[in-house]
Amino acid sequence: MLVPARRGSDALASIGWSAEAPLPLLCALLRSWEDRFGARVVAVFGSELHVSVARPPVEAEHANLLALEHVLSTANNIVDDPPTPFPEYAMDLMGRTSWSFWWD
């Protein structure tokens, strides 16, 4: 469905999306990712969130900071499943044009 919102980052709050995610923090992260990486929410299904990324990080420093922000999202696929070592996860974000999150 389409959601009337000025920004995609506001759509989750507008629809009252509920998952195990910390919604205010997640919306703030999404807003920041929109500005910095051209990130757009493209799908929400149950407790899954899928984001398209127009300008993924290209420098290791930015990828490390972004990876930390992904951890702050508390998404189970980032924190618990699979337990990817942080440096590997961060480097995998460089050039990646889609991000997915889910909460159990």
Side-chain angles (χ1 to χ4, degrees):
M1 81 175 143
L2 296 176
V3 177
R6 286 188 167 187
R7 298 173 65 146
S9 58
D10 299 335
L12 298 179
S14 294
I15 63 171
W17 184 65
S18 80
E20 295 296 319
L23 191 56
L25 172 64
L26 185 59
C27 289
L29 287 170
L30 287 167
R31 183 174 282 253
S32 178
W33 297 340
E34 279 181 2
D35 293 341
R36 293 181 298 152
F37 303 108
R40 299 287 181 258
V41 173
V42 293
V44 177
F45 180 75
S47 61
E48 294 179 22
L49 171 66
H50 301 276
V51 178
S52 172
V53 183
R55 297 178 308 276
V58 294
E59 296 179 15
E61 180 181 354
H62 295 145
N64 282 324
L65 292 173
L66 176 62
L68 178 58
E69 292 172 0
H70 281 203
V71 169
L72 291 173
S73 77
T74 72
N76 291 101
N77 65 306
I78 308 300
V79 177
D80 298 326
D81 181 30
T84 305
F86 184 85
E88 287 180 34
Y89 182 78
M91 291 307 102
D92 186 47
L93 292 173
M94 293 176 58
R96 196 159 124 209
T97 59
S98 65
W99 305 331
S100 295
F101 305 88
W102 64 82
W103 294 261
D104 293 329

